[in-house]
């Protein structure tokens, strides 16, 4: 089992920044690729970003490319999502997820999920 706990969400004005953290415990964190997903009210869960087990490769949804940055610190068992130049449409519950081995944009392929942290962007 891998337990994931997100933090760092909150209320931010459009154009501002926020850094989300996802702390992992349980099995060897560095064996898992990590992803960030979000779900807005009335919408399906969508891919935001993912990162390989080593942190050597990242991928982003087109809507956040150039504004969000995913990173990880395997010594701290933590993955981050730096959100810059946020927009009201970024308002959602943001969840991190872990998958053993290769990263993927498909939420159904992730094994472990955190409970999420609310991000609200005001205009």
């Amino acid at each position: 089992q891998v337990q994931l706990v997100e933090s760092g969400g909150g209320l931010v004005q459009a154009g501002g920044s926020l850094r989300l953290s996802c702390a992992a415990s349980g099995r060897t964190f560095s064996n898992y690729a990590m992803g960030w997903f979000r779900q807005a009210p009335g919408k399906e869960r969508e891919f935001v970003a993912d990162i390989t087990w080593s942190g050597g490769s990242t991928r982003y949804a087109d809507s956040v490319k150039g504004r969000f940055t995913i990173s990880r610190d395997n010594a701290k068992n933590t993955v981050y999502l730096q959100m810059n130049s946020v927009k009201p449409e970024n308002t959602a519950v943001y969840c991190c997820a872990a998958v053993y081995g290769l990263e993927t944009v498909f939420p159904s392929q992730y094994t472990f999920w955190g409970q999420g942290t609310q991000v609200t962007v005001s205009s």
Side-chain angles (χ1 to χ4, degrees):
Q1 290 285 337
V2 175
Q3 293 78 40
L4 302 173
V5 179
E6 301 93 338
S7 61
L11 176 64
V12 60
Q13 286 190 330
S17 297
L18 212 58
R19 189 174 85 153
L20 306 183
S21 299
C22 171
S25 61
R27 296 186 177 178
T28 305
F29 178 66
S30 59
N31 287 340
Y32 291 81
M34 300 296 296
W36 282 99
F37 294 81
R38 66 187 179 190
Q39 188 166 19
K43 294 188 177 180
E44 293 189 353
R45 180 176 288 172
E46 66 172 347
F47 169 77
V48 177
D50 64 15
I51 188 167
T52 55
W53 65 271
S54 66
S57 180
T58 58
R59 175 171 46 189
Y60 300 91
D62 287 343
S63 60
V64 307
K65 203 172 293 184
R67 298 187 298 116
F68 291 11
T69 303
I70 187 172
S71 62
R72 67 189 294 163
D73 185 339
N74 286 344
K76 296 183 177 180
N77 289 354
T78 303
V79 63
Y80 305 96
L81 185 69
Q82 178 67 43
M83 307 169 60
N84 297 332
S85 303
V86 295
K87 305 175 181 180
E89 54 263 41
N90 299 148
T91 295
V93 174
Y94 285 72
C95 294
C96 63
V99 56
Y100 188 83
L102 295 178
E103 69 283 6
T104 172
V105 301
F106 301 107
S108 61
Q109 296 183 4
Y110 282 81
T111 309
F112 303 107
W113 290 83
Q115 298 224 335
T117 185
Q118 175 70 48
V119 171
T120 303
V121 183
S122 63
S123 57

